[in-house]
Amino acid sequence: MSEQVVASRRRQQQHAGQPRRIPSQQRGRERFEKILAVAAELIESKGSDGLKMSEIVEKAGLSFGALYQYFPDKSAIIRTLAERFNEEGRRCVEAELEKVADAAALQGALANIVDEYYAFFRREPVMRDLWHATHTDKLLQQIDAEDMEFHARAFLAVLLRLWPDRDHGELLAIARLTMQLLAAAVRYAVSLDAEEGARAIALFKTMQVVDFSRLLG
């Protein structure tokens, strides 16, 4: 029986979108990172829809068995890449929100987050591809929803700190909507060329000047 067939049967026992295991030994980690690096190169040149496990095997110089030792399918690779990019974005958001000491600083923090997210997606064509693919890919929609909820909860923590007496549900609704609007603006801007996208981001920041003190009293 061929190695491909055996690996395929084993893959069916794995949950889609999850790595089989995260290696702890140096050689395994190097192989794991090599797979992700090759996959990122292929996504950048062909898009996530065009990613093929056979091409990863060929370009990484691995056997199918070595590949499937870590990733049961291409969904697991895509999810791992998306979550890594999301983790970088989360660090950016947390760093900006930690600086907020009063209501007056909120708008500046949000503007910085918009700028940093836009710059991040401009320099990471792989993440741009994955983000655009969320329109049709259920796995990526789930990852995106989880990431958006993380950002909303981080923003909610700031709102609760500044307005502890306000209704929690009201603040959560504001946090979620604020982050959804921010993400939508960045998503739209990165679909444009660089110059037009920068103008769209600048316009969004002008339109989204919110006086949270006035909004929340």
Side-chain angles (χ1 to χ4, degrees), residues 143-155:
I143 296 171
D144 189 54
E146 291 169 357
D147 192 53
M148 287 305 305
E149 185 64 13
F150 174 89
H151 294 313
R153 294 286 174 173
F155 190 49

Side-chain angles (χ1 to χ4, degrees), residues 92-100 102-118 151-152 154-156 158-159 162-163 174-183 185-186 201 204-206 208-212 215:
C92 157
V93 170
E94 287 180 321
E96 288 298 330
L97 293 181
E98 283 177 0
K99 302 174 187 176
V100 177
D102 53 42
L106 265 183
Q107 194 60 41
L110 291 174
N112 289 339
I113 290 170
V114 171
D115 286 336
E116 291 182 29
Y117 250 80
Y118 177 67
H151 294 313
F155 190 49
L156 172 65
V158 176
L159 296 180
L162 298 179
W163 290 277
I174 291 173
R176 283 174 171 161
L177 182 56
T178 299
M179 288 304 180
Q180 287 287 347
L181 290 172
L182 187 154
V186 175
I201 288 295
F204 171 74
K205 290 190 296 182
T206 301
Q208 290 299 307
V209 176
V210 177
D211 185 344
F212 285 94
L215 174 66

Side-chain angles (χ1 to χ4, degrees), residues 19-36:
R20 189 182 299 276
R21 70 184 182 88
I22 307 297
S24 57
Q25 300 298 320
Q26 181 177 351
R27 182 181 179 186
R29 289 198 302 270
E30 290 174 353
R31 185 173 289 178
F32 188 85
E33 295 301 327
K34 176 68 172 178
I35 292 168
L36 292 176

Side-chain angles (χ1 to χ4, degrees), residues 123-140:
R123 69 175 181 265
E124 294 290 353
V126 174
M127 194 55 205
R128 284 206 306 275
D129 177 273
L130 298 181
W131 209 9
H132 289 312
T134 58
H135 292 295
T136 56
D137 190 302
K138 290 184 178 180
L139 172 64
L140 293 177

Side-chain angles (χ1 to χ4, degrees), residues 35-49:
I35 292 168
L36 292 176
V38 168
E41 290 177 11
L42 290 171
I43 291 173
E44 183 173 350
S45 62
K46 300 183 178 182
S48 56
D49 287 343

